[in-house]
Amino acid sequence: MKPRLKIGLKSLVRFFLCLGLAVLPGVSSTSALSVVEQPVPAIQSTIDSLLASFSTDRKQLENNHKQLFDLVDRIASPMFEFDYIAKLILGANWKTATTQQRREFAHEIKRLLIATYATALFLYTGNEAVSFDETSIKQKKSRNFATVRGHFQTADGSRFDMVYSLMQKPGENWKIYNLTVADLNVVLNYRNVVQSAILKNGIESTIALMKTNNDKSYNR
């Protein structure tokens, strides 16, 4: 029997739906920073563009996964720091991984997140409400790190707290590297699954399994 890498994609849908909701009317931020310095407008601008394109072609995208994934990749991917996400997920395994393995793992993580986010877009109804409560920014060495706190309310009235984690390299835009929705920490969720798979099958086999799973999603 071939080993399988099980990643709870359904449990992560909230995360990507939450990100997609970040541009709804009524969004606010109490940060005293200027608009240029705030990470919240960066999130809003990116997802606003994505939702506009998605809403226009929604019917067509339902039957064309390649076009859907390409859309998410083109518009949303620049908002994520995939290499840093991969490093956090691999943890101690990052140090022992080869340069090629790091590159391949980051690529498969990116494909996995794109596929998950794309699927979650179809859960958007337009009846949800989102607000941002506060933004805090700290500088570590040459990078800025931001924590954006907020919450969203679903159409049925359920409310979830959320915390975005972003980083900004010198001369670059803000990028997301983690998000917590309610009790779900995205990086930790993936880390537990991936590191368990690496312990059992090794990093090379784990990457291969991720590639196989991603290929199935992309070729449906």
Side-chain angles (χ1 to χ4, degrees):
M1 180 179 297
K2 294 182 179 181
R4 297 181 62 187
L5 176 63
K6 297 182 179 179
I7 295 182
L9 297 184
K10 290 183 180 180
S11 67
L12 294 174
V13 166
R14 275 196 233 147
F15 159 60
F16 295 99
L17 180 58
C18 171
L19 182 60
L21 295 175
V23 297
L24 291 178
V27 171
S28 62
S29 175
T30 58
S31 172
L33 297 173
S34 68
V35 173
V36 175
E37 295 174 314
Q38 289 182 18
V40 170
I43 299 174
Q44 291 176 332
S45 176
T46 298
I47 308 307
D48 190 18
S49 177
L50 178 61
L51 281 182
S53 297
F54 173 75
S55 297
T56 299
D57 300 323
R58 181 167 184 160
K59 198 167 208 178
Q60 180 180 342
L61 294 173
E62 288 180 359
N63 300 314
N64 192 330
H65 273 200
K66 183 181 185 305
Q67 183 180 349
L68 173 63
F69 293 168
D70 287 346
L71 174 68
V72 174
D73 188 14
R74 175 171 56 84
I75 299 179
S77 287
M79 192 68 212
F80 292 86
E81 187 59 67
F82 289 109
D83 287 342
Y84 194 58
I85 292 173
K87 182 177 181 179
L88 292 177
I89 292 175
L90 282 180
N93 292 294
W94 180 265
K95 295 182 179 180
T96 58
T98 66
T99 300
Q100 181 65 21
Q101 288 172 335
R102 292 175 181 177
R103 186 181 301 113
E104 291 177 353
F105 181 78
H107 177 66
E108 296 307 329
I109 282 292
K110 176 181 178 180
R111 295 176 72 206
L112 176 59
L113 295 183
I114 288 174
T116 306
Y117 187 11
T119 302
L121 283 173
F122 289 104
L123 298 178
Y124 174 66
T125 68
N127 296 318
E128 297 81 1
V130 177
S131 63
F132 290 96
D133 302 322
E134 61 179 17
T135 298
S136 61
I137 298 178
K138 296 181 179 180
Q139 188 174 42
K140 185 177 181 181
K141 295 183 179 180
S142 61
R143 301 180 181 182
N144 292 323
F145 290 85
T147 300
V148 178
R149 300 182 183 278
H151 59 271
F152 75 92
Q153 186 169 306
T154 62
D156 65 1
S158 299
R159 174 172 165 147
F160 299 92
D161 293 329
M162 61 185 185
V163 181
Y164 290 87
S165 299
L166 304 94
M167 67 182 297
Q168 182 186 48
K169 297 178 181 178
E172 296 186 10
N173 296 325
W174 286 102
K175 293 187 178 183
I176 298 169
Y177 67 86
N178 196 9
L179 186 108
T180 300
V181 179
D183 295 325
L184 173 64
N185 182 299
V186 174
V187 165
L188 290 181
N189 183 83
Y190 276 120
R191 180 188 293 171
N192 291 336
V193 177
V194 169
Q195 292 194 0
S196 177
I198 292 176
L199 183 63
K200 182 177 180 180
N201 304 313
I203 189 169
E204 196 67 34
S205 294
T206 298
I207 295 173
L209 289 170
M210 292 176 66
K211 182 179 185 306
T212 298
N213 291 340
N214 285 333
D215 286 345
K216 290 179 180 179
S217 296
Y218 276 70
N219 295 326
R220 279 191 301 177

